[in-house]
Amino acid sequence: MFSYLVNRVIQSIGVLLVVALLSFVIFNYVGDPINNMVGQEATLEDREELRERLGLNDSVIVQFLRFVGNAAEGEFGISYQFQRKVSDLILERMPATLELVFVSAIFALAAGIGLGVYTGLRRDSWLSRFVLTTSLIGVSLPTFVIGILLIYIFSVTLEWLPSFGRGDTVRLGSWDSGLLTGSGWLAIILPAITLGLFQLTIILRLVRAEMLEVLRTDYIKFARARGLSRRAVNFGHALKNTMVPVITIAGLQIGTLIAFSIITETVFQWPGMGLLFIQGVEFADVPIMGAYLLLAAIAFVAINLIVDLLYAAVDPRLRVSAQRGTGTA
């Protein structure tokens, strides 16, 4: 098991290096940041001095190695737009994004698993059919359209919830939390629903399909023949064996929340890392773009590693397989 974990960590580092190289090479040639940092009155000498100070005259290899070395220390350079350290900008915006992703993930998992189990056990009820029909909205409509519709209904028409911003926040050390204030919770409802609706639909349909398949297996029939209660059969046997593929998809879908948050944060003007990335794209701010993509890749790799470890916790057969692989190594 330990050797398996070491191999997965090595693979993860390789993936991160590839992502860092691709993001650096692609975005290093998106526009000229010097034109956005100085006015038209700037002389060629001023431009050249600024280019030299930012290290833009160095070769691509030198710039990439410097980028990777600084990233390993948590430094991503100076923002061309804000003239501040990118790490400081990200740390300021990170709490907003992580809280939005956290609430969206809880919403998607709780509602998706709950509704998936219900529609799998009561597949012929009118409520199950209604849930499956309405869940198509989460797949068919783009995220920004869902966000605009929610704003129009709950902010413009009903005036129940705010349409933009994060609300009041509370300072906890270096963390600004909006989950400790009433206005913060009101502000996060619409963005969290918008961000988590697609993942909710995927999880719901996967759980329902897996439940229907597991309930037809022989060991479920045997459990019923032993006289076990319906609750014990459905939740103690069927649901537990349904969780293995669900963990895979749910883990990957939660990882996509960080990427999808770019659109949601733009629609709701949520002051997170996604909105910072959009501002960086508009300004050709290479350090911000490269740092965000690298952080998103780290999130995906970390979630995949956690999912692999959760396999062994949920399915004993995977633990035995891992132990045999270690013993033969």
Side-chain angles (χ1 to χ4, degrees), residues 25-83:
V25 170
I26 292 174
F27 289 111
N28 200 42
Y29 300 99
V30 178
D32 187 359
I34 302 299
N35 293 331
N36 295 327
M37 297 177 67
V38 299
Q40 296 181 353
E41 68 280 0
T43 63
L44 292 178
E45 290 77 10
D46 294 335
R47 292 173 177 268
E48 187 61 29
E49 180 183 356
L50 182 58
R51 186 178 295 274
E52 184 69 26
R53 181 160 57 90
L54 295 175
L56 298 178
N57 290 330
D58 297 334
S59 65
V60 175
I61 296 178
V62 172
Q63 293 185 51
F64 174 71
L65 293 177
R66 183 169 58 238
F67 171 75
V68 173
N70 292 334
E73 298 177 355
E75 295 293 336
F76 300 97
I78 303 298
S79 169
Y80 300 156
Q81 178 182 5
F82 299 99
Q83 292 295 301

Side-chain angles (χ1 to χ4, degrees), residues 210-228 233 237-238 241:
E210 291 295 327
M211 283 291 293
L212 292 176
E213 181 177 353
V214 169
L215 289 174
R216 289 194 293 264
T217 57
D218 292 336
Y219 72 87
I220 294 296
K221 297 178 181 178
F222 179 72
R224 290 172 176 168
R226 290 172 54 197
L228 296 179
V233 172
H237 292 74
N241 288 276

